[in-house]
């Protein structure tokens, strides 16, 4: 019923094109997260779906019909704003019921819906308060409640948790996941926080500079990023990138020297890549893919800057002075005393390879 | 006293001195004067004389009545108009916004005498443009200055013209402090633009509008320039004499400062009472 599709959607503000040919399919009941750095056009895209911004090109379909010229109110969507956008002069109860009352929804039904939402979000005892008497987390609940009351087909969230403190953010994240399960509605969620994206999404849309870089399930993006940008954006701590130069190429294998890491060579199998000798490439390797010295295909000796012991795991930050920081996740380092240098191994099978424009080679 | 406080008061001293001499002292002194018989030399303490006369003086009641009529009609009309102007000025559809804002604000900076002269010309019986326009649509000429109700209407029009834009700018600043996303939320809540205005804009403007109302009440209570200059010293025959003008005549034409002081205190008292009443009526609902 409430599937959603973007077809070559373009947005221009004056002469500036902000969204370039975005295409996307969202299935009914799916939880889709738009993620990307600040200013990449996430909000703009969301607001175009809501109808708060006009569409400069392409089509947006909701529930099978083109909504380009449909009023926002008639698109069957509800939106939760980053700033909450609660009506400051109304009580929580009035905030929840305002839309229904203004459109002549039957009194009994309005009451029932408000009560139901208050139950779902556990805000019964707040109903008579004004927004300014609420904490950030409570305001956020009310804002979400105001969306639920409308019983929309599609929920749109614009960075709903970004104004909350870390602990509350985790709590509300779980709550939103629970809501999605309970309501079964289609949800589109905007965030710049990759953890939120990874934990909430059925499908992640990675945006950069108004382009969709990759669309996929969270673990797909993690295991199989389309390019260096996605590889660096998804995962925490970030993937390590090391510059290298091709020093040998023989058919389907190449050998790369890690230019900033003492020119350590590593041999990698590749497909459809015919490099020049000396060609610059970037190796990517995730923090958890470092092993004890000798247990991989190449050994790196690194200079430890800081080690963070979190209990269940530890992060070692190293080699800042080489201009190329390396972050290593090591469970065993908890029992090691902090050392100045450390030798670790990497395996060719874990290595991603990107060309100097960021396209993925392997 | 700490050194830094002493220095601070030192810097404030010139101002405080002037404030005390030209503000505090006249206020106290005129209060004292209102209990004096100022028609004899030297002045004599006679509390019943001015205050007793005030409550039985038909000229005072006439001025009070005129002032109240102007206040009751002019303030609501002007504030409504100012709100409408503010909304129009705030419209994203409006081009050359800066020019319009200045145009509506401009009457405040025009000299009072100049503006009064222009109004006298425009409303002139024989060759004023207003009567010419009225004639064009079939209405006979009105003698604005010779008939009291028309003279009152003229005052109300003039004062509204002069101050509506000023209030509109204040209300506009209130409008601009309402976040845009509240309206977007209401739009998605399927609330029409008109209902958004009634149920969101107006309630959120309440404090600003109340502020404008109180300012206007105080202004109307003191109304002087317009009846003095436009309707020729409260003419016809006291038909537009306001409290401000009445005070002026008693104090500076008849030089009866005791009586004028009593009138001044009555005006201030009324302005305070009416303003408080408004603040109470317009208070935030609990
Ligand atoms: N109304 C507007 N007029 C002009 N440029 C805008 C407008 N809204 C957004 N932009 C620009 O569009 C780009 C994307 O903005 P936005 O969608 O808010 O990014 P995000 O939500 O990903 O941080 C930014 O460069 C921003 O400056
Ligand atoms: Mg944004």
């Amino acid at each position: 019923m409430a599937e959603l599709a973007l077809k070559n959607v373009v947005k221009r503000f004056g002469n500036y094109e902000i969204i370039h040919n975005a295409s996307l399919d969202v299935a009914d009941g799916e939880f889709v997260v738009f993620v990307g750095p600040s200013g990449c056009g996430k909000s703009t895209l969301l607001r175009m779906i809501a109808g708060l911004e006009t569409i400069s090109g392409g089509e947006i379909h909701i529930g099978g019909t083109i909504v380009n010229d449909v009023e926002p109110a008639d698109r069957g969507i509800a939106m939760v704003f980053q700033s909450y956008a609660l009506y400051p002069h109304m009580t929580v109860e009035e905030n929840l019921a305002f839309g229904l009352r203004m459109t002549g929804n039957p009194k009994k039904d309005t009451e029932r819906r408000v009560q139901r939402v208050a139950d779902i979000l556990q805000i019964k005892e707040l109903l008579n308060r004004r927004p300014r008497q609420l904490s950030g987390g409570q305001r956020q609940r009310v804002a979400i409640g105001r969306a639920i009351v409308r019983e929309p087909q599609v929920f749109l969230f614009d960075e709903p948790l970004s104004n909350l403190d870390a602990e509350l953010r985790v709590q509300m994240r779980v709550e939103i996941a629970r809501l999605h399960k309970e309501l079964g509605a289609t949800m589109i969620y905007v965030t710049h926080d990759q953890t939120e994206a990874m934990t909430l999404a059925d499908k992640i849309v990675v945006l950069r500079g108004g382009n969709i870089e990759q669309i996929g399930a969270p673990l797909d993006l993690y295991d199989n990023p389309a390019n260096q940008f996605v590889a660096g954006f998804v995962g925490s701590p970030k993937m390590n990138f090391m510059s290298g130069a091709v020093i040998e190429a023989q058919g389907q294998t190449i050998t790369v020297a890690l230019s900033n890491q003492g020119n350590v060579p590593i041999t990698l199998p590749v497909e459809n890549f015919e490099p020049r000798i000396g060609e610059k490439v970037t190796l990517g390797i995730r923090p958890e893919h470092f092993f004890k010295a000798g247990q991989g295909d190449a050994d790196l000796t690194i200079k430890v800057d800081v080690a963070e012991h979190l209990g269940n795991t530890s992060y070692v930050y190293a080699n800042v002075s080489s201009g190329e920081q390396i972050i290593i996740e090591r469970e065993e380092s908890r029992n090691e005393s902090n050392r100045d240098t450390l030798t670790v191994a990497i395996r060719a099978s874990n290595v991603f390879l990107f060309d100097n424009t960021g396209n993925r080679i392997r | 006293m700490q050194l830094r406080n002493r220095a601070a008061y030192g810097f404030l001293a010139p101002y405080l001195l002037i404030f005390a001499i030209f503000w505090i002292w006249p206020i106290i002194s005129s209060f004292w004067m209102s209990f004096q018989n100022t028609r004899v030399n030297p002045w004599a303490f006679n509390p019943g004389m001015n205050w007793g006369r005030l409550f039985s003086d038909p000229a005072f009641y006439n001025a009070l009545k005129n002032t109240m009529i102007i206040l009751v009609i002019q303030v609501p009309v002007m504030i409504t108009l100012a709100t409408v102007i503010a909304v129009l000025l705030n419209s994203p559809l409006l081009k050359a916004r800066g020019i319009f804002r200045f145009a509506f604000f401009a009457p405040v900076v025009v000299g009072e005498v100049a503006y009064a002269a222009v109004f006298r010309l425009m409303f002139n019986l024989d060759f004023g443009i207003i009567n010419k326009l009225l004639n064009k649509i079939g209405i006979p000429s009105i003698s604005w200055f010779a008939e009291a109700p028309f003279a009152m209407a003229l005052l109300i029009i003039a004062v509204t013209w002069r101050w509506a834009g000023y209030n509109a700018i204040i209300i506009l600043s209130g409008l601009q402090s309402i976040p845009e996303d509240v309206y977007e939320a209401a739009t998605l809540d399927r609330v029409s633009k008109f209902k958004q205005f009634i149920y969101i804009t107006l309630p959120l403007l309440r404090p600003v509008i109340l502020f404008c109302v109180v300012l206007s009440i105080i202004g109307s209570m003191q109304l002087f320039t317009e009846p003095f200059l436009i309707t020729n010293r409260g003419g016809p025959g006291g038909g537009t004499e306001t409290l401000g003008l009445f005070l002026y005549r008693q104090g500076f034409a008849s030089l009866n400062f005791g009586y004028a002081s009593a009138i001044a205190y009555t005006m201030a008292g009324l302005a305070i009472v009416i303003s408080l009443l408004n603040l109470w009526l317009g208070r935030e609902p609990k």
Side-chain angles (χ1 to χ4, degrees):
Chain A
M1 243 325 265
E3 67 277 5
L4 189 141
L6 310 186
K7 300 206 165 128
N8 297 318
V9 166
V10 173
K11 177 66 189 177
R12 274 179 231 104
F13 287 114
N15 290 328
Y16 293 102
E17 194 170 300
I18 301 291
I19 303 286
H20 322 285
N21 272 317
S23 295
L24 170 71
D25 285 303
V26 179
D28 184 26
E30 203 169 18
F31 198 119
V32 173
V33 175
F34 293 173
V35 70
S38 183
C40 69
K42 308 179 295 289
S43 297
T44 305
L45 202 52
L46 197 72
R47 291 166 58 81
M48 288 165 80
I49 296 171
L52 297 173
E53 299 282 359
T54 55
I55 300 164
S56 314
E59 291 171 0
I60 295 182
H61 299 244
I62 298 177
T65 49
I66 301 184
V67 296
N68 284 35
D69 297 320
V70 175
E71 288 295 317
D74 301 326
R75 293 189 182 192
I77 49 103
M79 182 155 165
V80 178
F81 293 81
Q82 179 171 2
S83 56
Y84 316 134
L86 297 176
Y87 309 122
H89 56 300
M90 299 184 198
T91 63
V92 168
E93 193 269 341
E94 287 164 342
N95 262 281
L96 295 176
F98 183 59
L100 296 174
R101 293 204 174 119
M102 288 295 110
T103 50
N105 193 57
K107 229 181 178 148
K108 277 259 152 50
D109 183 59
T110 303
E111 247 165 61
R112 179 188 62 75
R113 289 205 212 177
V114 169
Q115 285 308 320
R116 176 170 157 266
V117 166
D119 277 339
I120 295 178
L121 294 170
Q122 295 150 13
I123 49 174
K124 268 206 146 77
E125 63 287 356
L126 305 179
L127 285 177
N128 290 320
R129 296 212 204 151
R130 300 271 164 95
R132 67 168 170 276
Q133 299 167 308
L134 303 177
S135 70
Q138 290 170 330
R139 284 180 205 182
Q140 188 57 74
R141 272 166 208 273
V142 177
I144 293 173
R146 191 173 58 181
I148 298 175
V149 158
R150 297 198 34 219
E151 301 180 352
Q153 305 190 335
V154 181
F155 283 88
L156 306 178
F157 295 90
D158 192 354
E159 309 218 19
L161 309 186
S162 60
N163 292 337
L164 304 181
D165 63 45
E167 199 177 328
L168 210 50
R169 205 147 58 208
V170 174
Q171 196 184 323
M172 285 303 295
R173 200 171 77 202
V174 173
E175 199 139 321
I176 288 173
R178 176 178 67 92
L179 273 178
H180 178 238
K181 243 196 214 144
E182 258 179 58
L183 302 173
T186 310
M187 293 189 175
I188 300 184
Y189 185 103
V190 162
T191 180
H192 63 265
D193 181 78
Q194 66 91 30
T195 315
E196 275 174 32
M198 293 296 280
T199 50
L200 285 170
D202 295 321
K203 184 153 104 192
I204 294 180
V205 177
V206 183
L207 286 154
R208 175 171 61 155
N211 285 307
I212 294 183
E213 295 283 310
Q214 191 171 1
I215 301 175
L219 292 181
D220 279 349
L221 299 194
Y222 190 82
D223 295 337
N224 223 343
N227 54 44
Q228 189 177 343
F229 175 77
V230 176
F233 199 82
V234 174
S236 172
K238 279 163 61 103
M239 182 185 282
N240 296 295
F241 293 117
M242 302 183 258
S243 23
V246 178
I247 51 173
E248 224 182 288
Q250 276 186 347
Q252 302 289 66
T253 61
I254 60 169
T255 302
V256 176
L258 300 176
S259 327
N260 291 333
Q261 311 290 345
N263 280 321
V264 173
I266 181 165
T267 303
L268 303 165
V270 292
E271 286 167 26
N272 308 322
F273 179 54
E274 278 133 36
R276 287 175 290 104
I277 298 298
E279 181 166 342
K280 297 269 186 282
V281 291
T282 302
L283 273 77
I285 186 150
R286 293 208 179 270
E288 66 269 30
H289 291 151
F290 288 86
F291 303 92
K292 289 207 175 78
Q295 295 188 356
D297 301 315
D299 280 355
L300 295 178
T301 298
I302 56 175
K303 190 172 160 300
V304 175
D305 296 310
V306 177
E308 291 178 347
H309 302 296
L310 304 180
N312 57 341
T313 189
S314 299
Y315 297 117
V316 175
Y317 296 80
N319 275 12
V320 169
S321 58
S322 75
E324 210 173 67
Q325 189 183 50
I326 294 181
I327 305 172
I328 298 173
E329 182 178 357
R330 283 160 62 91
E331 279 161 43
E332 64 271 28
S333 81
R334 173 192 179 118
N335 300 316
E336 296 169 345
S337 55
N338 280 349
R339 288 183 301 195
D340 283 348
T341 60
L342 193 64
T343 304
V344 290
I346 55 177
R347 294 175 184 168
S349 57
N350 296 135
V351 170
F352 296 93
L353 195 63
F354 306 98
D355 67 18
N356 60 6
T357 58
N359 290 322
R360 175 143 165 225
I361 301 164
R362 68 154 271 140
Chain B
M1 209 193 289
Q2 283 182 0
L3 186 62
R4 50 180 294 182
N5 286 352
R6 226 180 301 172
Y9 281 111
F11 280 112
L12 282 174
Y15 169 74
L16 290 177
L17 196 70
I18 290 170
F19 183 73
I21 294 174
F22 292 101
W23 283 84
I24 308 283
W25 171 244
I27 288 171
I28 296 170
S29 148
S30 65
F31 184 68
W32 178 240
M33 249 187 253
S34 74
F35 296 101
Q36 306 270 340
N37 178 357
T38 54
R39 316 297 319 249
V40 293
N41 199 2
W43 295 354
F45 185 71
N46 183 352
M49 178 169 165
N50 296 322
W51 290 100
R53 175 176 170 197
L54 188 72
F55 291 111
S56 59
D57 188 347
F60 167 71
Y61 284 109
N62 174 55
L64 181 64
K65 183 197 78 192
N66 288 341
T67 304
M68 287 302 147
I69 289 173
I70 291 172
L71 188 134
V72 165
I73 297 174
Q74 192 262 332
V75 174
V77 166
M78 179 182 68
I79 297 296
T80 307
L81 190 66
T83 308
V84 171
I85 294 171
V87 168
L88 294 179
L89 285 177
N90 199 34
S91 163
L93 301 175
L94 184 71
K95 302 269 185 277
R97 182 165 314 176
I99 293 176
F100 280 100
R101 275 182 206 172
F102 174 74
F104 281 108
F105 192 76
V108 178
V109 289
V110 171
E112 294 175 328
V113 177
Y115 128 81
V118 170
F119 263 80
R120 283 185 66 84
L121 286 176
M122 282 171 57
F123 285 83
N124 183 286
L125 175 62
D126 299 319
F127 52 86
I129 183 157
I130 300 296
N131 276 342
K132 284 196 175 143
L133 288 176
L134 288 177
N135 295 157
K136 277 236 165 68
I137 56 169
I139 298 174
S141 290
I142 293 171
S143 69
W144 294 96
F145 301 96
E147 289 173 54
F150 288 118
M152 287 285 273
L154 171 52
L155 282 190
I156 290 170
I157 292 168
V159 174
T160 301
W161 176 82
R162 185 132 188 263
W163 293 103
Y166 177 83
N167 286 286
I169 298 292
I170 297 177
I171 295 172
L172 177 63
S173 75
L175 274 179
Q176 288 174 336
S177 73
I178 303 176
E180 186 55 32
D181 56 13
V182 170
Y183 292 108
E184 290 180 345
T187 303
L188 294 180
D189 263 351
R190 315 183 57 136
V191 180
S192 68
K193 282 273 177 271
F194 179 71
K195 283 187 173 169
Q196 287 180 25
F197 179 76
I198 301 291
Y199 292 100
I200 296 176
T201 310
L202 282 186
L204 290 179
L205 282 182
R206 175 209 305 277
V208 177
I209 289 182
L210 215 53
F211 173 73
C212 286
V213 167
V214 169
L215 273 192
S216 306
I217 288 171
I218 294 170
S220 292
M221 287 303 298
Q222 301 178 340
L223 196 62
F224 172 78
T225 310
E226 285 82 0
F228 188 81
L229 292 176
I230 298 179
T231 55
N232 213 0
R233 308 197 175 206
T240 59
E241 181 161 271
T242 57
L243 286 174
L245 199 56
F246 181 52
L247 179 151
Y248 171 83
R249 281 206 298 124
Q250 292 301 328
F252 299 97
S254 311
L255 300 179
N256 187 354
F257 290 110
Y259 193 39
S261 297
I263 297 166
Y265 266 90
T266 308
M267 284 166 62
L270 280 171
I272 291 170
V273 169
I274 297 172
S275 298
L276 286 179
L277 194 67
N278 260 280
L279 289 175
W280 182 73
L281 286 174
R283 72 199 181 284
E284 192 95 345
K286 191 57 218 124

